Amino acid sequence: EDALLERLVGAAGAQCEAFTGRVLLARAFSETIAASAAWRRLRRGPVRAITGVESLRADGLAAGLPVSAYHIDIDARGDGWVRVTDASGATRVRVTYQPGLAEEWAAVPEALRQGIIRFAAQLYAHRDGDSGGAVPAAVTALWRPWRRIGLRLR
């Protein structure tokens, strides 16, 4: 049942990311944001690197922006920020970046790993669908110190 266990651990890890608001293992993401002179926060974190900013034309084609056309920042909390000073007529930009708490599973904080394992075990025990999908309080107690919450203003 290795394949099943792998899927359950993956599902528990995804639930942990959703609960904490943090990406566990470093991997690449891309996000499309408005081309604005105002600072825009990237959705996922903690950000390790912002690797590219390119303008998106109305027809969907992307073109690289010169470094002088935008500013990037990663603050002390791990939030990634982008500000576009010259989008060359584009109204949107695509930002590629790499968020993640750790490079490998062993470096993920112990409380998060333990919660994932416990939740995966519960999913396995209730794999026939008898109400095992809710995250138990013992697991959320392990994850809660890592949780990032905030308001999104639109």
Side-chain angles (χ1 to χ4, degrees), residues 67-111:
V67 174
S68 61
Y70 62 90
H71 300 280
I72 59 175
D73 188 31
I74 301 171
D75 66 21
R77 293 178 45 156
D79 289 333
W81 297 88
V82 178
R83 180 170 78 100
V84 179
T85 55
D86 178 13
S88 301
T91 59
R92 299 175 302 140
V93 294
R94 180 171 40 226
V95 181
T96 53
Y97 62 107
Q98 185 183 60
L101 282 171
E103 287 287 333
E104 58 188 28
W105 172 254
V108 171
E110 183 65 30

Side-chain angles (χ1 to χ4, degrees), residues 10-67:
Q15 187 67 36
C16 178
E17 286 186 346
F19 182 86
T20 61
R22 296 172 181 256
V23 175
L24 298 177
L25 295 173
R27 57 191 187 272
F29 282 88
S30 108
E31 187 173 324
T32 300
I33 61 173
S36 170
W39 285 100
R40 311 284 287 200
R41 186 172 64 86
L42 299 172
R43 285 188 300 237
R44 293 177 173 88
V47 175
R48 297 168 152 261
I50 299 172
T51 56
V53 180
E54 55 190 359
S55 64
L56 293 175
R57 297 188 337 207
D59 61 6
L61 292 176
L65 284 174
V67 174

